[in-house]
Amino acid sequence: MNTVLAHRSGPMGIDPRMPPVAMRRDGTPSSELPLTTRIQQPLPTLAILLALAMIPARVAWADDATETQAVRWGWGVSAIAIQKPYRRFSPQRWVIPLLIYNSKWVSVYGPAASFMLPPTGPIAFAFTARLSRDGYRASDSPVLAGMAPRRDKFWMGGSATWRSPWMNVIAEWTGDVSGYSKAMTVSLTMERTFNYGRFQMTPRLAAISLDGKYTNYYFGVRPDEARPDRPAYRPGATVNVEAGMRAAWHVAPRDSVFVDAAVEHLGSEITRSPLVDTSTQSRLVVGYVHVF
């Protein structure tokens, strides 16, 4: 799901000092703030871009705060596995390269970009833009045979992150500007990072609100798509809940390996769809990042 990434999110922030690894339910990342958070077969350009966006990231750029103001580049590689909730839908897996850019005001991670605004006290604001691969083709599952393809989308919106000694709270709003679904999503994520020398862990909990246009586009069945085992269905707005853990190990000052795992509990409007046979979807990402 949207994979959204998310990133879902993901459905599903990223500290400006760190390379990408937080995921939206759809699977895409945000830069300063999380992309809250959902790829396969011969990878077309869009699929590769989306995969780049889906990397859950929190690998530190550097410990020196002065370095966070400099322009930084990075590269890496990641392996991604996503299990979508559609019936008889095989897990999607792929390996992709990573290209990262980070500065004081602009962060780009694959197809996800954030344009930071001046912070207001402990709250940081940003404009966000990203590509996601939430869609499917009729050939992806026998259950989807005869369905019109659901296309990937380009999302734009804004985010706000409140940072405190106890946790970060991130709110994000995005809208589909590609025109396919004209959907909107709103997410609220709470996370806290724990540092143990070179090892870092960030558990998170997120709620992702999906409007009826989103759920109907990806989980609805149009009247002309209905058949005896797939009745017409038009879902309404719903809320998904995601629990995830992101971990990074700094093997060298500029090299890190990371893993991000997440499980998303789907709202009732999605689970009642005749296309779905489970109440959850899951995502696993592992990778390596080097920053210059």
Side-chain angles (χ1 to χ4, degrees):
M1 298 219 328
N2 196 335
T3 98
V4 248
L5 127 281
H7 138 46
R8 336 80 108 183
S9 339
M12 19 207 127
I14 294 181
D15 189 304
R17 297 173 300 173
M18 307 175 181
V21 184
M23 298 183 58
R24 293 183 165 93
R25 61 185 301 284
D26 60 354
T28 58
S30 69
S31 56
E32 203 334 90
L33 313 176
L35 314 167
T36 3
T37 146
R38 304 158 180 230
I39 293 190
Q40 105 183 36
Q41 306 186 11
L43 291 175
T45 300
L46 180 59
I48 295 175
L49 290 177
L50 167 67
L52 293 176
M54 296 182 64
I55 302 311
R58 277 262 176 181
V59 184
W61 287 106
D63 294 329
D64 187 346
T66 61
E67 290 191 87
T68 65
Q69 309 302 315
V71 173
R72 304 299 299 276
W73 293 86
W75 66 273
V77 64
S78 67
I80 305 169
I82 294 179
Q83 178 62 68
K84 292 185 179 181
Y86 299 108
R87 294 163 51 200
R88 301 173 66 182
F89 199 98
S90 299
Q92 299 175 330
R93 305 181 183 93
W94 64 98
V95 176
I96 52 88
L98 299 177
L99 179 62
I100 305 159
Y101 170 83
N102 192 84
S103 70
K104 181 178 180 180
W105 301 110
V106 178
S107 292
V108 178
Y109 300 132
S114 288
F115 305 90
M116 270 64 76
L117 300 176
T120 302
I123 301 178
F125 298 94
F127 293 114
T128 62
R130 62 186 170 87
L131 292 171
S132 70
R133 180 118 188 252
D134 305 334
Y136 60 76
R137 295 171 295 181
S139 60
D140 288 339
S141 167
V143 176
L144 303 175
M147 300 279 290
R150 293 338 190 233
R151 303 186 182 280
D152 306 324
K153 296 178 292 189
F154 181 62
W155 298 86
M156 295 186 69
S159 58
T161 296
W162 175 67
R163 301 184 186 279
S164 76
W166 307 281
M167 71 172 66
N168 294 336
V169 179
I170 308 108
E172 183 179 45
W173 168 88
T174 59
D176 170 22
V177 297
S178 61
Y180 295 126
S181 68
K182 300 180 181 178
M184 291 190 298
T185 70
V186 177
S187 65
L188 183 66
T189 302
M190 296 180 293
E191 62 179 28
R192 179 171 180 176
T193 298
F194 298 89
N195 293 295
Y196 305 96
R198 293 186 175 185
F199 187 70
Q200 183 182 72
M201 292 194 309
T202 305
R204 67 181 180 275
L205 184 65
I208 306 104
S209 176
L210 309 172
D211 69 2
K213 293 180 179 179
Y214 182 97
T215 58
N216 186 50
Y217 187 74
Y218 289 112
F219 299 99
V221 179
R222 301 165 184 167
D224 61 334
E225 297 173 328
R227 63 188 191 188
D229 63 337
R230 189 177 64 204
Y233 180 64
R234 185 180 181 86
T238 197
V239 176
N240 293 355
V241 177
E242 179 185 279
M245 173 70 74
R246 184 169 57 251
W249 179 38
H250 305 285
V251 297
R254 296 181 180 273
D255 298 271
S256 298
V257 293
F258 62 83
V259 59
D260 185 286
V263 175
E264 188 171 353
H265 180 76
L266 309 176
S268 59
E269 293 293 301
I270 294 175
T271 58
R272 285 200 290 260
S273 169
L275 306 178
V276 170
D277 65 355
T278 180
S279 62
T280 62
Q281 71 172 5
S282 58
R283 178 184 66 250
L284 177 66
V285 182
V286 295
Y288 159 81
V289 169
H290 172 82
V291 293
F292 300 104

